[in-house]
Amino acid sequence: MSVENTPVLEVRDVSLGFGGVRALSEVSFEVKRGELFSIIGPNGAGKTSMLNCISGRYKPTSGRVYLDGRDVTGLTPNIRATLGMGRTFQNLALFGHMSVLDNIMVGRHHLLNNNALTGGLYWLSGARKEELSHRRKVEDIIDFLEIAHIRKAVAGTLPYGLRKRVELARAMAVEPKIILLDEPMAGMNLEEKEDMARYIVDLNEEWGMTVVMIEHDMGVVMDISQRVMVLEFGRKIAEGLPAEVMENERVKVAYLGIDDDEPAEAGSAA
Ligand SMILES: Nc1ncnc2c1ncn2[C@@H]1O[C@H](COP(=O)(O)OP(=O)(O)OP(=O)(O)O)[C@@H](O)[C@H]1O
Ligand SMILES: [Mg+2]
């Protein structure tokens, strides 16, 4: 199989347990190069756990994760980042006391070969050149996400919607082949959501990044995803085109069949 046809991401039979809780049970799926792939499912379905197994934050109890055909299951999150994985977090993970620019530069840190900040050889060595090239890449991202006006702002003082955008900028700064987004629109107003959706589509279509996105806003998911996978109680219950998935009976039950007034019967869903 040629490199072009190798899935960027392959998850094979991944299970994850936390003590008695089985967060994921034998989940398998592939994400093709250039795809915008969404993972949906009710709260606690295992979506973030899956992203953590992909990024290396969690090690699956069993199963494998392949990036570009390479088994990365045993590798640390940093090495996976170097191999081309970027991610954002469900709960923002910015350095609140640092400027927007510095937060984005952190995303590039592992790409720095020379440590541009140490040593008297700074002006003589390639370090300065390298730093300038990093700055340019970061500037491209800042322009793209329209955050030039807040570049010097202290990240922690920004409104929530803008902080989410800065976090996306930092993930893009890794220059990832695949970018993992955990609820990029959570807590946003309609206008912010529309902006964020547009950025995600553009980074997918224009920047050529493969996207795996977890999102609860069904309208956005159906609008921009090429394929959707549905998790429920740690298991994959559906996968396919957005319209197909929405018509799936199990998915309808998972989303609509929950009666908040009645206590769930123990074991009935397993
Ligand atoms: N670090 C952890 N320790 C123990 N249990 C965990 C841990 N992380 C997740 N879980 C459990 O694993 C299950 C799946 O959680 P996960 O956060 O992956 O769900 P989710 O689909 O992302 O939910 P949400 O939509 O609320 O973000 C839940 O039962 C959760 O309580
Ligand atoms: Mg989650």
Side-chain angles (χ1 to χ4, degrees):
M1 199 159 42
S2 75
V3 177
E4 283 306 303
N5 295 330
T6 311
V8 179
L9 177 72
E10 184 184 352
V11 170
R12 197 183 294 164
D13 295 326
V14 162
S15 297
L16 178 70
F18 295 108
V21 179
R22 218 158 144 73
L24 294 169
S25 297
E26 291 165 17
V27 178
S28 297
F29 65 99
E30 289 182 1
V31 179
K32 297 184 200 105
R33 203 167 305 279
E35 244 185 338
L36 202 168
F37 184 93
S38 290
I39 303 176
I40 64 171
N43 291 119
K47 304 180 297 296
T48 298
S49 299
M50 176 49 77
L51 225 61
N52 284 334
C53 287
I54 297 168
S55 74
R57 199 176 165 92
Y58 293 162
K59 187 171 186 320
T61 315
S62 62
R64 316 301 304 172
V65 176
Y66 299 87
L67 177 66
D68 262 336
R70 172 176 176 171
D71 188 344
V72 296
T73 319
L75 303 181
T76 64
N78 276 343
I79 295 174
R80 294 188 207 198
T82 312
L83 293 174
M85 262 191 204
R87 76 166 291 180
T88 66
F89 294 86
Q90 184 166 355
N91 303 306
L92 282 158
L94 288 173
F95 295 104
H97 60 286
M98 278 166 46
S99 73
V100 165
L101 188 61
D102 287 342
N103 265 285
I104 302 170
M105 288 300 276
V106 168
R108 289 194 71 83
H109 191 251
H110 73 275
L111 297 174
L112 284 164
N113 294 320
N114 296 300
N115 187 340
L117 302 174
T118 58
L121 290 176
Y122 178 73
W123 292 95
L124 300 174
S125 69
R128 181 167 179 274
K129 230 169 142 183
E130 192 186 330
E131 198 199 339
L132 288 177
S133 121
H134 279 289
R135 291 264 169 192
R136 267 196 296 276
K137 292 259 168 59
V138 168
E139 290 309 322
D140 287 347
I141 293 166
I142 285 175
D143 285 349
F144 168 65
L145 292 174
E146 299 167 297
I147 49 176
H149 60 295
I150 53 155
R151 61 195 303 134
K152 291 198 176 129
V154 175
T157 65
L158 294 169
Y160 182 77
L162 276 176
R163 276 185 283 156
K164 292 288 262 192
R165 224 191 283 176
V166 174
E167 208 195 2
L168 179 61
R170 187 174 61 189
M172 286 180 73
V174 184
E175 290 183 60
K177 309 178 216 198
I178 186 164
I179 192 161
L180 313 170
L181 307 174
D182 197 347
E183 301 197 24
M185 291 143 206
M188 289 185 166
N189 64 36
L190 189 62
E191 195 187 337
E192 290 171 327
K193 275 187 189 180
E194 282 174 355
D195 283 345
M196 185 53 93
R198 184 167 49 86
Y199 293 130
I200 293 170
V201 167
D202 284 352
L203 71 86
N204 173 244
E205 289 181 355
E206 286 169 27
W207 292 59
M209 288 179 195
T210 303
V211 179
V212 177
M213 172 176 86
I214 297 174
E215 186 47 54
H216 277 293
D217 186 313
M218 235 17 91
V220 173
V221 168
M222 293 304 135
D223 255 11
I224 71 173
S225 314
Q226 288 156 27
R227 280 192 309 132
V228 179
M229 171 172 83
V230 189
L231 294 179
E232 187 193 28
F233 298 115
R235 290 181 187 280
K236 178 165 98 174
I237 60 166
E239 183 184 2
L241 301 174
E244 287 170 3
V245 164
M246 276 299 101
E247 286 308 306
N248 182 301
E249 289 306 318
R250 283 185 77 182
V251 176
K252 284 184 184 166
V253 172
Y255 274 94
L256 308 171
I258 301 160
D259 189 341
D260 285 333
D261 296 326
E262 271 181 27
E265 252 177 60
S268 61

